[in-house]
Amino acid sequence: MERKRVVGVVAVLGLAAAGCAPGTPGAQELLTRRAEALLDGDRAAFAATGDASRWEPLHALPLAAWRYGAVEVTGRGEDTATVETELRYRLDRDAGDATARRVLTLTRDDGGTWRVTADRPARGEAEQLWDQDAGLRTAATPRTLAVAAGDGDPRDYTPLGDAAARAVGEAWDTRVRPVVLVPESTDAMARLLDAPASAHRRTAAVTTPGDAPRVVVNPEAFGTLGEEARQIVVTHETTHVALRARTTGRTPMWLSEGCADWTAYRGSGRDPAEAAPALAREVRGGRTPPHLPTDREFAFGGDAGTVGRAYEGAWLACRLVADRWGEGTVRALYDAAGADGEEAALREVLGVDRAGFTALWQADLRRELGARRTAVRAARAAGRRAGPTASAPRPRRGPARPCGGAAPRRRAG
């Protein structure tokens, strides 16, 4: 939008606008006062700018910033106007500003004062959590912020976020403070992502794109998981939050999703055949994957078997790098891939080309998931179960993988 046009449309509701009472503030000034009242915690001042029905959910949030960008008038009547603006806001533990295009309705009262009477997402924009529920609840620790709608209890998520932050810090030598959003349902989650609900029915959580990535939980799928699987999900997604600035359009999804799972499983001692059952069945059947997982195989709403094998194969690829070259090499490979692309990163960091790494990965799959190795593990597990101490039960899993990875990435280049 050209600057001349911005100045012109703001002036429609300004002092010089025809038909406006003298002294009536412009739209930009009105929204600035509304933002200041919200940040100051001044409910009376907020109500003086218009509709106060959003005060409770917004005031419940630990807001560190809230400001409106340039205002464009998109509709005008004698006593009403429709304006569009970009809202930039930040929660206390956000890594950066979140942005959202909003459409507001302004109405002039009998005294000639303009007020905000409606505030909604612009066309094609995702909803915000405060659009869905006026009764938001929050829970916070020094590491984690959780915000829940509906019947969700945010206190259920802060221990998971804290443990995830510690795990990510140990694996990546980086500090992260996850923000976990818990909408009321799968449908509400989909509206937060501006995506069809059908694509997320079996997804326990995703990470949003942008400069303020958040973990968005699907309470229905998340609720089917056991305690250990829930921790895996939150740690996986928190890894995406921590690595968002290091992830570019050059980063292949097998590396980004595989590293998230590698972080979540790191140090758990999980047996590959147990943690990668779909891929283990393929390998035991003589169907070792012919290539590393492609980006398309991770698609939301895709075939559950294909998606599951993609995540499992990606995890085992990153596990191979850590075991063969060291954990520091995992970090170096990730950064190099984001900067120079997959092929260049493999050559530069691992000293092999893509074909060579694929062959090593395939051999590792056959070694870890092959029939003989699996049979030995099964026999050992049976022996343990027959002994005086029974092994701990496996965490309950949802109908697909417990973690959904990052929301569809907007390729940044």
Side-chain angles (χ1 to χ4, degrees):
M1 185 189 308
E2 295 179 358
R3 180 175 174 82
K4 178 191 285 187
R5 186 184 177 203
V6 173
V7 173
V9 296
V10 172
V12 171
L13 294 179
L15 299 176
C20 290
T24 302
Q28 189 76 63
E29 183 182 344
L30 174 64
L31 296 185
T32 297
R33 289 196 293 110
R34 190 170 176 84
E36 290 173 348
L38 180 60
L39 291 174
D40 290 343
D42 189 336
R43 180 170 186 161
F46 186 82
T49 65
D51 177 27
S53 63
R54 302 290 174 88
W55 171 262
E56 293 299 338
L58 291 176
H59 187 59
L61 298 174
L63 293 171
W66 184 281
R67 61 186 180 277
Y68 295 96
V71 175
E72 178 182 3
V73 177
T74 58
R76 179 79 165 95
E78 183 177 351
D79 293 313
T80 64
T82 302
V83 302
E84 187 168 330
T85 184
E86 182 180 74
L87 169 66
R88 300 184 68 88
Y89 73 98
R90 180 183 299 201
L91 302 180
D92 183 53
R93 285 157 185 76
D94 276 333
D97 286 352
T99 60
R101 296 289 301 178
R102 306 290 294 184
V103 174
L104 293 83
T105 301
L106 308 185
T107 304
R108 186 166 56 178
D109 63 20
D110 293 340
T113 300
W114 289 92
R115 302 181 190 276
V116 177
T117 52
D119 180 348
R120 61 188 184 278
R123 183 184 298 275
E125 280 285 312
E127 291 181 353
Q128 301 294 317
L129 205 55
W130 65 78
D131 292 320
Q132 299 181 352
D133 192 343
L136 297 181
R137 292 170 305 285
T138 65
T141 69
R143 293 177 185 258
T144 305
L145 169 67
V147 184
D151 296 329
D153 188 341
R155 294 172 297 181
D156 293 340
Y157 297 88
T158 50
L160 298 171
D162 288 352
R166 287 192 296 270
V168 172
E170 291 169 1
W172 293 91
D173 192 25
T174 190
R175 185 168 180 261
V176 61
R177 299 196 301 172
V179 175
V180 182
L181 305 183
V182 188
E184 186 174 15
S185 64
T186 304
D187 288 342
M189 173 198 187
R191 295 198 302 275
L192 290 181
L193 303 172
D194 191 30
S198 59
H200 294 286
R201 294 289 178 200
R202 295 178 297 183
T203 302
V206 299
T207 306
T208 60
D211 295 330
R214 286 88 175 259
V215 178
V216 181
V217 170
N218 177 355
E220 296 171 26
F222 197 82
T224 69
L225 303 178
E227 183 178 351
E228 184 181 357
R230 292 183 184 193
Q231 186 62 68
I232 289 170
V233 168
V234 177
T235 303
H236 175 110
E237 301 304 335
T238 300
T239 306
H240 285 310
V241 172
L243 299 183
R244 177 51 49 81
R246 297 156 72 168
T247 307
T248 74
R250 293 175 176 268
T251 310
M253 290 194 71
W254 70 261
L255 188 57
S256 62
E257 298 300 342
C259 282
D261 264 1
W262 170 71
T263 306
Y265 286 121
R266 177 179 173 272
S268 69
R270 293 296 295 275
D271 181 84
E274 179 187 352
L279 194 54
R281 286 192 294 271
E282 292 296 300
V283 173
R284 289 197 300 270
R287 297 180 296 276
T288 301
H291 52 71
L292 290 164
T294 65
D295 286 8
R296 182 175 298 180
E297 290 172 332
F298 291 95
F300 284 107
D303 174 71
T306 299
V307 174
R309 290 189 295 273
Y311 275 95
E312 292 168 2
W315 165 54
L316 290 170
C318 293
R319 182 177 180 267
L320 169 63
V321 175
D323 289 349
R324 187 182 180 98
W325 286 276
E327 293 190 349
T329 305
V330 177
R331 298 190 287 268
L333 180 65
Y334 199 94
D335 290 340
D340 304 320
E342 175 188 353
E343 182 70 39
L346 289 171
R347 289 179 181 275
E348 173 189 342
V349 179
L350 304 186
V352 297
D353 60 13
R354 194 176 199 276
F357 180 72
T358 301
L360 291 171
W361 170 70
Q362 291 168 325
D364 189 63
L365 294 183
R366 288 189 287 268
R367 181 171 56 254
E368 294 287 354
L369 307 178
R372 183 176 179 277
R373 183 75 172 267
T374 303
V376 170
R377 287 171 176 147
R380 289 175 179 169
R384 286 196 299 272
R385 286 193 294 271
T389 359
S391 59
R394 286 184 64 187
R396 287 178 58 212
R397 289 179 176 262
R401 282 189 56 80
C403 44
R409 279 188 284 162
R410 296 171 185 171
R411 290 286 183 178

